[in-house]
Amino acid sequence: VGNYKRTVKRIDDGHRLCNDLMNCIHERARIEKVYAQQLTEWAKRWKQLVEKGPQYGTVERAWCAFMSEAEKVSELHLEVKGSLMNEDFEKIKNWQKEAFHKQMMGGFKETKEAEDGFRKAQKPWAKKLKEVEAAKKAYHAACKEEKLAVSRETNSKADPALNPEQLKKLQDKVERSKQDVLKTKEKYEKSLKELDNATPQYMENMEQVFEQCQQFEEKRLRFFREVLLEVQKHLDLSNVASYKNIYRELEQNIKTADAVEDLRWFRANQGPGMSMNWPQFEEWSADLNRTLSRREKKKASDGVTLTGINQTGDQVSQPNKHSSSLSVQSNTVQSVQSSYNPFEDEEDTGSTVSEKEDNKIKNVSSYEKNQSYPTDWSDEESNNPFSSTDANGDTNPFDEDTPPAMEVRVRALYDYEGQEQDELSFKAGDELTKMENEDEQGWCKGRLDNGQVGLYPANYVEPIQ
């Protein structure tokens, strides 16, 4: 009696399992979204690194194909996230709402109906079972009383002190107890027979209610199987034609990389095949040799122009390590300020892209692809503003070129671990002061509350409102 509650509880468990499945799908959708965002950020950053780096030609295009692949795959994972939330999640939510109806007093209508059905089917049989238990108890009590009466009578026969009247009372007691045993036994057997006769109908009624609960549970199980299959289809990108095309296109782009073609291009554009700017007679001009004062340098917004530049067309002469004249843009000035020297020998380890995840554009290569090389040259190291000592940051002639920015309080959105000595490290939620605005490479200069000053990625923080 009452064991049907296990079946009734399964209905409440079904509602909870719907919530669990929705939470499971929601977490997976959030993972898909985060992965898509990380792919996009990775592709954007590395595409900029490769484009500004020393790689060129068909191999560069093959390298950039990986970033294009990441962007396309990111879009597909965003579609997966949308399918999980807009289709699968909503489908479970709507089915749960239709299958389970809450009551004003708590619980579900389906649970109460099952409870009432089992209780109604079990009530007659439970009543007869109670009668059987009572008859059984009475019969066992009569048997115990009979045994005690027989024991007293037997003991009294051996006791000469008892008179015949007392002995007769004990015998009458034994007789009455035997009659009680017979009556209670008959009643016990009768009630048990009635219970046995009622059992088939009881089982039929209980099984009828149980089957109704089974049908309800079968609907839930079949629905869960259907939803899980749909989730599998949404997650399985291997069957998506566009997903296969992404990697087919990536393979084709990589296979089109041609070392011979790249060497031919470099020879024609950066080697002996490029157009030459041989020295020619030039008239003297006062403006040509005019030097810039510090005041004029501070007023310049596009950078600093040193004298002695003479270029024809798009091609320029070969780079000279000790050149004393060069057009320096603002982003080049920032690179000179770092500890990395873009004019050191090629075997310098700083000329290759770092394999660290958070190493930024400022040290990606030893030169930029579209860098203009000077046509004038000089053997006088004392007049070269790009000498090794200055370029390493000890005495930089461009320290005063960057105008100071207003300090702004910002809050970190993500954890960041500095990869270089001049980079800051902070945790998500930390507050710091932005001292300079974002440069072209996406870096800002800031100061922690402990006074440490350094660089950090601009997209890792947000202004404090």
Side-chain angles (χ1 to χ4, degrees), residues 327-344:
S327 176
V328 185
Q329 300 300 326
S330 59
N331 60 344
T332 309
V333 173
Q334 292 172 357
S335 65
V336 174
Q337 289 178 344
S338 67
S339 60
Y340 167 73
N341 187 353
F343 290 93
E344 289 179 351

Side-chain angles (χ1 to χ4, degrees), residues 1-3 122-137 188 191-196 198-199 202:
V1 176
N3 281 339
Q122 196 174 68
K123 187 175 181 180
W125 189 86
K127 182 178 180 181
K128 292 185 180 298
L129 179 63
K130 191 175 183 180
E131 292 175 357
V132 169
E133 293 294 334
K136 174 185 175 182
K137 185 177 181 179
Y188 178 32
S191 61
L192 191 60
K193 186 176 181 180
E194 291 178 352
L195 181 67
D196 292 340
T199 298
Y202 159 70

Side-chain angles (χ1 to χ4, degrees), residues 15 182 189 236 266 317 388 424:
H15 183 274
L182 292 175
E189 290 176 344
D236 187 8
F266 192 85
S317 63
S388 59
L424 298 178

Side-chain angles (χ1 to χ4, degrees), residues 320 322-325 377-387:
N320 190 303
H322 302 296
S323 174
S324 61
S325 57
W377 59 276
S378 173
D379 291 331
E380 297 180 4
E381 292 289 342
S382 61
N383 295 327
N384 187 356
F386 295 95
S387 62

Side-chain angles (χ1 to χ4, degrees), residues 45 358 360 414-418 423-424 426 432 438 441-445 454-462:
R45 186 164 67 89
D358 295 316
K360 303 300 179 181
Y414 319 100
D415 295 348
Y416 181 73
E417 187 71 23
E423 295 180 14
L424 298 178
F426 46 77
L432 59 151
E438 178 182 357
Q441 288 78 29
W443 288 81
C444 286
K445 185 176 181 181
L455 301 175
Y456 64 90
N459 59 354
Y460 272 56
V461 301
E462 64 176 358

Side-chain angles (χ1 to χ4, degrees), residues 113-124:
E113 289 177 352
E115 178 84 24
D116 293 344
F118 279 118
R119 187 183 293 111
K120 183 178 179 181
Q122 196 174 68
K123 187 175 181 180

